[in-house]
Amino acid sequence: MSSDGGIYEILDDRFRTGRCANGDTRLERLHQGCRWTEGPLYLPAWRQVVFSDIPNDRMLRWDEQTGAVGLFRSPAGHSNGNTLDREGRLVTCEQGNRRVTRTEHDGTVTVIADRFGGRRLNSPNDAVVGSDGSVWFSDPDFGITSDYEGHRAESEIGARNVYRVDPVTAEVRIAADGFRGPNGLVLSADGRRLYVSDTVANHIRVFGVREDGTLTDGEVFTEAAGDGSRFDNIRFDDEGRLWAAAMDGGVHCYAPDGTLIGRIRVPETVSNIAFGGPKNNVLFITATTSLYSLMLGVTGARRVHAPVG
């Protein structure tokens, strides 16, 4: 297949028949002027998107109803990825502070994880919350290799792992290791598979999730195309397609079998993506200096955050 000359590049007919290219025909730039944006997250209750401007050590928020962009938090611990837990509380990976935190409903901040085995984490990057309340997060060394996105330091752990925080005991344990640069991660809709992108190895791995929260041996789900693409964060739509922020390759869309079926062209280097909007059919894209949006013909996976009980 070939491109239609617009922002969509159709590589497999499933991208067309699945309505993946049936949305807006242009990107809308919502904000620009950042140094390096990541971590977009749609907050349904507030109809806002929070996102991180890592080198400037701040979090911003875009208001869906007014289009205004304002400061959410500064300093922000050189925050990167953001997600919501089952109670709608903000969970943030703070690269500079080398920790994962939760913002309570009253605005106070609780530390979820900052150490493993008594040693400081490297620089947590992205997080996802399971249906049981467990918090999974990646811990590469991107925030300690220089002062640009954090604070230059030596790794105390000496490895780049994915961790799981137990929802009952709050114990932090290694969920998976052997990564070169673990980055984005997402759980399948049924919670039985964990997908992890490795930016340095340039592939996405998938693991089976056992009842006790341990993982099976991972296997490669897909490898990045040789077009300047490097995987960052990843998200599912509600039909099981995996969407990936692919740096200079734009946004990639993969069928459940791992086939790259289409791309969205973006004029800047894509760092992160997130589904949002009232119908969950708007793709928010952070790319270099900007925040973009694109209303699609598909819908993001069901939001798992909801009041418990």
Side-chain angles (χ1 to χ4, degrees):
M1 297 291 174
S2 61
S3 169
D4 61 2
I7 63 171
Y8 302 101
E9 184 176 1
I10 300 170
L11 304 174
D12 183 296
D13 200 50
R14 285 174 286 181
F15 195 67
R16 189 193 312 276
T17 60
R19 308 180 310 283
C20 300
N22 286 7
D24 288 347
T25 58
R26 65 177 181 85
L27 292 167
E28 182 178 0
R29 177 182 269 157
L30 306 176
H31 183 68
Q32 60 182 323
C34 297
R35 289 187 183 276
W36 177 251
T37 57
E38 296 212 39
L41 174 68
Y42 183 77
L43 305 176
W46 299 101
R47 295 189 64 180
Q48 294 181 346
V49 173
V50 296
F51 58 103
S52 302
D53 182 4
I54 303 177
N56 285 328
D57 194 15
R58 62 181 181 171
M59 293 174 67
L60 303 173
R61 58 183 167 191
W62 169 80
D63 188 279
E64 185 174 45
Q65 299 179 86
T66 67
V69 173
L71 184 66
F72 178 79
R73 179 178 292 164
S74 179
H78 295 280
S79 64
N80 193 321
N82 298 286
T83 191
L84 291 177
D85 72 3
R86 295 287 293 175
E87 296 182 37
R89 297 171 297 187
L90 178 66
V91 175
T92 300
C93 292
E94 301 179 9
Q95 289 190 166
N97 291 334
R98 300 169 72 170
R99 66 185 189 177
V100 180
T101 62
R102 180 178 65 238
T103 301
E104 308 295 347
H105 293 304
D106 63 3
T108 59
V109 175
T110 299
V111 177
I112 296 174
D114 62 356
R115 295 178 182 271
F116 173 71
R119 294 167 291 178
R120 295 187 71 187
L121 298 170
N122 296 326
S123 54
N125 187 285
D126 196 17
V128 64
V129 177
S131 60
D132 61 353
S134 57
V135 178
W136 306 71
F137 67 92
S138 58
D139 187 40
D141 58 5
F142 305 149
I144 60 174
T145 56
S146 75
D147 291 317
Y148 188 73
E149 292 191 12
H151 305 289
R152 185 176 180 179
E154 295 294 325
S155 172
E156 296 183 15
I157 294 174
R160 307 164 190 87
N161 304 316
V162 169
Y163 296 90
R164 179 181 183 271
V165 183
D166 188 273
V168 177
T169 67
E171 177 190 10
V172 180
R173 62 172 176 78
I174 295 176
D177 55 17
F179 297 96
R180 295 174 61 191
N183 199 324
L185 69 170
V186 67
L187 287 161
S188 60
D190 59 10
R192 295 179 181 177
R193 296 177 304 282
L194 177 73
Y195 292 74
V196 181
S197 68
D198 190 322
T199 303
V200 178
N202 228 5
H203 60 218
I204 297 172
R205 292 168 64 186
V206 57
F207 303 83
V209 181
R210 301 187 181 97
E211 290 293 329
D212 63 358
T214 60
L215 301 179
T216 62
D217 292 337
E219 60 183 39
V220 174
F221 170 74
T222 192
E223 296 187 5
D227 58 355
S229 299
R230 289 180 294 136
F231 290 127
D232 204 300
N233 89 321
I234 47 181
R235 293 291 181 262
F236 276 110
D237 66 24
D238 65 355
E239 295 188 14
R241 291 174 292 251
L242 186 69
W243 297 73
M247 299 285 190
D248 293 338
V251 177
H252 288 189
C253 180
Y254 293 87
D257 64 4
T259 302
L260 176 61
I261 60 175
R263 297 186 181 96
I264 296 172
R265 294 190 179 94
V266 180
E268 298 182 84
T269 299
V270 177
S271 59
N272 279 188
I273 56 174
F275 283 97
K279 297 180 180 180
N280 208 27
N281 64 340
V282 177
L283 189 68
F284 293 98
I285 303 168
T286 50
T288 315
T289 65
S290 306
L291 172 69
Y292 296 90
S293 71
L294 181 71
M295 185 173 288
L296 295 173
V298 300
T299 302
R302 185 182 68 84
R303 300 176 177 127
V304 299
H305 45 275
V308 176

